[in-house]
Amino acid sequence: MEDRFQHLLAINRAIAETLDYEEVLRLVVDKTVQLTGAHTCALLLADETGTAHVAACRGIDEDKAKAFAAPLDERINGALRDLLDHEQEDSFVGVPVIHGGQVTGILMVHREGAAAAEGDPEEEAILAALADQAAIALDHAGRWRQLWAAEQRARCELEVEARRKDEFLAMLSHELRNPLAAIVNAVEVLRLASPHDPKLHQIHQIAYRQSMHMKRLLDDLLDVSRVTSNRVVLERTNVALQEVVRQAVAGLEPMIRQRGHRLEVTLCEPPLVVDGDPDRLLQVVSNLLTNAAKYTEPGGHLWVSLSDGGGDAVLSVRDDGIGIPADLLPHVFDLFVQAERDINRSEGGLGIGLSLVKRLVEMHGGTVEAKSEGPAHGTELVVRLPLVARAAGAALRVGASEA
């Protein structure tokens, strides 16, 4: 009896540690057979109509087990004899599985020979203990299954909300581009109307810079919604990254000059060629430079380098700006995440530039990493892209905006 008790405790622990519903059913039957030595065992559970079905079994024909269905009352004995192919009612013993004060099933074993005729009180007590433990384990597993189902429903709801958000951002950015185009045209007309008026020229410069800034924000919103919904198709060709970097630097020169930044560019030779979309790669480099300039105080230092990493092109954009706190560093590429900024740095954007960079780099088979020693210690962003050639005469494209 002591051995059986210790074995029962071990079985109870094994069942209690299992949260998978189907695994609990199998364990209850397997451990019952192991402990009682029965040749046949079945765990019957009732559905919402009170009809019992075979939830798990050992030593019973599979087709019969699947087809079994009987009311969970005194009429079940005849159905059990048919299931077991045995005429003697006392050749099997079953104990109720009680949950919530109600009988919800039966744990049954089939006994043969002298054991069937004499009965075994210890065995029946152990069987009852197993049935109680089974009820507890099934209750836990059922609750776990309910929690899992609730989590899946919540996940689906979040995915639907995320999709609606992406659709809204795409629609918003698209709708705002039309009035913005009219504003840009009006600003240009203002410049042409009074080319020699200093005050109007100053107003024009302010309006032009802000309208271009708004255009970049809207373009990023539209792009990130396309990327997250997998609607971006890369137009791949051989791209020399040195030329992409030069064009990005040229495009950001007005902003860098306005903020008084010192920019150092180091490009290796020969050209590093990757298989990619030239316009999207230009967007990656431009976003990295823009991010560095925005978060570096006027008069600060920016470094851009491109090197051969042995199979990868390694692009580094480094600054001595405000840096990134340690708690923010793991999330810097998440959508709408950005460092805190005061009113003097309100041009920081929407927190989508680096998220867009990461997604575009990954679409090219590359990686991007952010490094920072903390606030006021600057930031380095490192992009790695797989090389396809290193020949000096490799094909070159850097996008339609080059003209």
Side-chain angles (χ1 to χ4, degrees), residues 185-203:
N185 291 336
V187 169
E188 184 62 17
V189 170
L190 176 64
R191 183 184 69 83
L192 296 174
S194 304
H196 305 297
D197 190 324
K199 290 184 178 180
L200 288 180
H201 176 74
Q202 183 181 9
I203 294 173

Side-chain angles (χ1 to χ4, degrees), residues 125-142:
I126 290 173
L127 196 62
L130 278 170
D132 290 342
Q133 181 63 24
I136 296 172
L138 288 171
D139 179 60
H140 290 172

